[in-house]
Amino acid sequence: MVSDRQVRVLRKKRMEGKTLEAAAAAAGMSERTARTWQRGPLPSETKQARTWRTRPDPFAEVWTTEVEPLLVAVTERAV
């Protein structure tokens, strides 16, 4: 995975007039990868947010019956 920092270095070196090969080497990536990231958004801007759960919710069964009443009680005491 290419980092934003590597892409910034690549683009900076290209703006300085370096060849793609030299700029890619300075950024620590292959020429092919450098061609992909010469233009466009940074890698962090291309990530999409995950819309699925990675594991089941461990509090699903007890949240409304046990956890919420505790949170309400603590909040009422604080006020």
Side-chain angles (χ1 to χ4, degrees), residues 2-78:
V2 177
S3 69
D4 287 358
R5 184 177 185 187
Q6 287 176 296
V7 173
R8 285 189 191 102
V9 169
L10 170 73
R11 292 176 182 175
K12 180 181 175 195
K13 295 295 182 184
R14 291 293 284 158
M15 292 293 290
E16 293 173 358
K18 301 284 184 186
T19 64
L20 182 64
E21 182 181 9
M29 64 178 76
S30 70
E31 286 182 64
R32 185 173 180 171
T33 301
R35 271 194 298 276
T36 302
W37 292 104
Q38 282 187 85
R39 294 181 186 84
L42 294 172
S44 65
E45 297 168 347
T46 61
K47 286 185 180 178
Q48 294 181 352
R50 185 172 53 235
T51 59
W52 64 90
R53 294 193 64 86
T54 58
R55 62 186 174 98
D57 184 3
F59 296 107
E61 294 177 13
V62 296
W63 187 263
T64 56
T65 59
E66 296 180 31
V67 178
E68 273 186 8
L70 289 172
L71 292 172
V72 169
V74 170
T75 305
E76 288 174 355
R77 270 191 233 152

